[in-house]
Amino acid sequence: MSTTETKRSHNAETEELDVIIVGAGFAGFYLLDRLRGTGMSVQVFEAGAAPGGVWYWNCYPGARVDSPGPMYQFSREDLWRDWSFSELYPSWREIREYFRYVDKKLDLSRDIRFNRRVTEAEFDPARNRWIVHSNDSSITSARYFVLCSGLGSKPYTPDIPGLGDFAGERHHTALWPQQGLDLTGKRVGVVGTGASGVQVAQEAAGVAARLTVFQRTPNLALPMRQRRLDGATIRRMKESYPLAYQTRRTTFGGFDYQFLETAASQVSDEERRSTFERVWEIGGLAPWVGSFNDILTNERSNRAAYDFWRDKTRARINDPAVAEMLAPKEPIHPFGAKRPSLEQNFYEIFNQPNVSLVDLRKTPIERVTRNGINTTAGEHDLDVLVLATGFDAITGGLTSIDIRGTQGETLGEKWAKGVRTHLGMSSAGFPNLLFVYGPQSPNAFANGPTCAELQGDWIVQLLDRLRQRSCTRFEATVPAEEAWRAQVHALADATLFPKADSWYLGANIPGKTREMLSYAGGLMTYMAKCNESAERGYEGFAIS
């Protein structure tokens, strides 16, 4: 009998497992493989029809990852040796192909239940088990409940008057039709200029009869430096993979590069400029997390970085008025305090006659009509309305499930007045529950696959240790989560992140508590804290 075969409880309708994992993205894949290897009975519940996590849902025009392909995969040699991306920054199609490749290689789908969305879960203290309900009417019991639902699994649609009146095609980028949507010859409106808004706009500009981009806050987007990869380049890159994967476990962001050892405030104007130029040419996120080590903490250094970005960007835009909207002379928020998106030709599209930019700070949307969008300056007729309006990020995927702990309250109710976790992976009152990329972990500040492996290893070690000791319950303590919350906030307060109304702080969601939701001390420091807890007998947890 396979270790992954399951038992049936006295209630024939309830399947019993050791572990239920929610989400078949990087974290869900990694944990399924590792936990299965310990002999535990494990299943993954995935709302989508195929693996990939966010990359099942992200299939809008131009969707691609903002990490280089070598970093955006698992570090196991038996997986990377026979896999190659064709571009430095892979598209959603290639990411999906990668997940199918890993799935087949590790035979994961036999323990994944697709099209199963978890709707509610309740902890049974008498048996120390979670009872999990899904939209397919299934009921499953598990000792441990591990949420790998990701940062962006709850799309956010603003309450715009008349949104339901629009007669054309209307889609949120995170809920894009799986069969695709042809924008050729259409009048397209894109609301929002985050990563998905930038990517859709770049694609639409080349084919749409008319593209109107509705911007509230300028995106301080960085050059992607996208390129195709030939066989010789791939072979050369793979020679450095072992060292790169070793390095990424020790850096701030889980990439194979790090902040510089010098501060912008400590060098000459000439050296500062030459360094900015060097990391600018590298492209990607290097000007953000591979530049001077005080960019995100020192206001003068940050302003120097902004001015450099502004001048580089404005030089690409022909109309001075449009340049001021996209790259204002005075920053609206500190450089990098909102996550920079990567772009290929985003700024150049506004030089095209078929593309226009609407500044929603000056002319807000009044309502959506049957034919388009009315702003205070007039109406914009549209055939397709794209809502690139982001997510209830970091917490939303967790709180959207009715998860009830020992006090009868849901996770959403507990966190309504502020998130409380221990190590960004567990919360008091919710025994045997863990989450990866969770609030108060490095989540948005770290490369996803690196986080999946490092947090995954820690979780596997914990659950295996509990089983070896015949323990059936663990739970974060209230003092531990209060101390962790204080540490997360102190780290954030030492940076410039709180000076921007970003999804890092939940500021994009009306009514959501404004607080730092990410651990800003870096992935290496974070894992040191987690390992220190483990070495001290899982300090901060009550185990029985």
Side-chain angles (χ1 to χ4, degrees):
M1 179 175 175
S2 166
T3 56
T4 56
E5 291 182 34
T6 57
K7 301 173 290 181
R8 295 282 176 174
S9 70
H10 295 299
N11 178 352
E13 296 181 354
T14 304
E15 192 171 18
E16 291 205 342
L17 299 163
D18 293 322
V19 188
I20 291 172
I21 298 168
V22 179
F26 277 104
F29 261 33
Y30 189 77
L31 278 167
L32 173 58
D33 181 62
R34 287 291 321 278
L35 288 170
R36 214 165 57 172
T38 68
M40 295 187 191
S41 59
V42 191
Q43 284 182 13
V44 172
F45 295 174
E46 167 56 50
V54 71
W55 297 106
Y56 173 78
W57 306 101
N58 273 4
C59 58
Y60 57 84
R64 66 179 62 251
V65 69
D66 64 2
S67 301
M71 285 293 98
Y72 206 70
Q73 58 183 298
F74 293 118
S75 64
R76 283 174 51 169
E77 185 174 353
D78 62 329
L79 295 179
W80 61 252
R81 187 190 304 113
D82 299 324
W83 176 262
S84 300
F85 289 113
S86 67
E87 297 177 301
L88 184 60
Y89 292 90
S91 71
W92 63 271
R93 287 185 176 87
E94 280 205 299
I95 296 295
R96 284 191 181 184
E97 288 175 14
Y98 176 72
F99 272 94
R100 288 193 290 269
Y101 161 78
V102 173
D103 183 13
K104 184 177 180 180
K105 193 96 169 176
L106 302 181
D107 190 21
L108 298 178
S109 276
R110 64 184 167 92
D111 290 314
I112 302 176
R113 303 296 173 258
F114 295 109
N115 298 304
R116 180 178 287 187
R117 182 180 294 275
V118 173
T119 55
E120 58 184 276
E122 184 175 6
F123 187 72
D124 177 0
R127 300 179 65 219
N128 288 332
R129 298 183 70 86
W130 282 95
I131 310 301
V132 178
H133 297 254
S134 303
N135 64 342
D136 59 1
S137 300
S138 65
I139 303 172
T140 314
S141 166
R143 175 73 65 208
Y144 304 111
F145 189 35
V146 184
L147 295 160
C148 301
S149 48
L151 304 183
S153 55
K154 186 181 180 182
Y156 169 63
T157 299
D159 186 16
I160 305 173
L163 196 55
D165 297 338
F166 183 64
E169 292 265 11
R170 184 197 81 201
H171 299 288
H172 193 290
T173 49
L175 298 169
W176 202 258
Q178 289 293 319
Q179 71 274 16
L181 176 63
D182 188 4
L183 304 179
T184 303
K186 306 287 182 62
R187 296 169 299 176
V188 179
V190 178
V191 178
T193 53
S196 63
V198 167
Q199 291 174 335
V200 170
Q202 289 175 154
E203 296 295 314
V207 299
R210 183 83 195 163
L211 169 65
T212 306
V213 177
F214 298 86
Q215 171 189 279
R216 183 182 61 184
T217 305
N219 187 332
L220 310 189
L222 300 170
M224 179 173 273
R225 308 290 186 222
Q226 175 68 304
R227 67 180 190 271
R228 300 286 299 180
L229 302 175
D230 58 26
T233 300
I234 291 169
R235 285 191 295 274
R236 187 168 60 252
M237 292 170 71
K238 285 192 175 186
E239 291 175 2
S240 66
Y241 276 16
L243 178 59
Y245 291 134
Q246 182 180 346
T247 300
R248 80 177 188 178
R249 302 171 72 91
T250 64
T251 62
F252 178 91
F255 294 101
D256 57 342
Y257 56 79
Q258 179 66 293
F259 283 112
L260 301 176
E261 294 183 3
T262 54
S265 58
Q266 297 174 337
V267 300
S268 66
D269 291 347
E270 182 180 356
E271 183 177 347
R272 186 182 307 114
R273 174 80 188 190
S274 65
T275 299
F276 284 155
E277 287 281 3
R278 181 173 60 79
V279 295
W280 186 260
E281 288 307 311
I282 294 171
L285 296 175
W288 183 45
V289 290
S291 187
F292 292 108
N293 61 20
D294 62 342
I295 293 297
L296 298 174
T297 57
N298 182 295
E299 290 195 19
R300 290 186 64 184
S301 297
N302 186 275
R303 179 56 191 263
Y306 177 84
D307 289 349
F308 180 88
W309 172 86
R310 176 200 64 199
D311 294 346
K312 284 286 191 182
T313 302
R314 290 175 75 101
R316 299 164 59 186
I317 306 164
N318 295 341
D319 186 334
V322 175
E324 181 60 23
M325 282 191 277
L326 291 167
K329 291 180 181 177
E330 292 296 318
I332 292 176
H333 58 74
F335 173 79
K338 284 190 171 187
R339 185 182 177 92
S341 301
L342 301 190
E343 55 81 28
Q344 297 184 70
N345 67 326
F346 179 65
Y347 296 106
E348 283 80 4
I349 69 173
F350 294 99
N351 299 329
Q352 298 176 199
N354 68 324
V355 179
S356 58
L357 180 66
V358 176
D359 187 346
L360 297 182
R361 289 176 180 263
K362 293 182 178 178
T363 57
I365 293 175
E366 289 187 326
R367 69 176 297 106
V368 176
T369 68
R370 177 178 177 80
N371 298 318
I373 289 180
N374 272 358
T375 71
T376 56
E379 184 165 5
H380 301 268
D381 291 337
L382 304 171
D383 302 310
V384 179
L385 176 54
V386 179
L387 298 172
T389 50
F391 300 89
D392 180 355
I394 303 175
T395 57
L398 305 177
T399 59
S400 63
I401 305 172
D402 186 353
I403 302 172
R404 295 188 179 272
T406 55
Q407 304 305 308
E409 65 178 353
T410 66
L411 201 56
E413 288 168 346
K414 175 177 177 175
W415 289 349
K417 295 183 180 179
V419 171
R420 284 164 173 81
T421 77
H422 182 42
L423 302 177
M425 285 193 280
S426 183
S427 197
F430 294 83
N432 295 5
L433 174 71
L434 292 160
F435 28 85
V436 183
Y437 313 146
Q440 299 181 342
S441 79
N443 53 61
F445 297 151
N447 178 40
T450 314
C451 243
E453 291 182 343
L454 292 177
Q455 283 190 296
D457 288 343
W458 192 91
I459 288 170
V460 171
Q461 182 185 36
L462 167 63
L463 300 189
D464 196 39
R465 186 79 58 85
L466 293 172
R467 187 176 61 163
Q468 289 176 16
R469 296 180 179 180
S470 300
C471 297
T472 59
R473 177 167 170 163
F474 74 91
E475 182 178 353
T477 68
V478 171
E481 65 178 10
E482 290 297 337
W484 187 254
R485 173 181 168 86
Q487 185 175 155
V488 168
H489 288 190
L491 284 166
D493 290 343
T495 72
L496 300 175
F497 287 115
K499 293 184 178 293
D501 286 330
S502 71
W503 54 264
Y504 291 155
L505 292 94
N508 63 318
I509 304 299
K512 191 171 181 177
T513 300
R514 191 184 190 279
E515 60 178 333
M516 176 54 88
L517 296 172
S518 300
Y519 180 90
L523 184 59
M524 183 174 67
T525 303
Y526 167 78
M527 286 311 305
K529 299 284 185 183
C530 294
N531 293 333
E532 184 179 302
S533 166
E535 290 163 4
R536 294 179 177 178
Y538 293 96
E539 187 176 55
F541 293 94
I543 296 176
S544 58

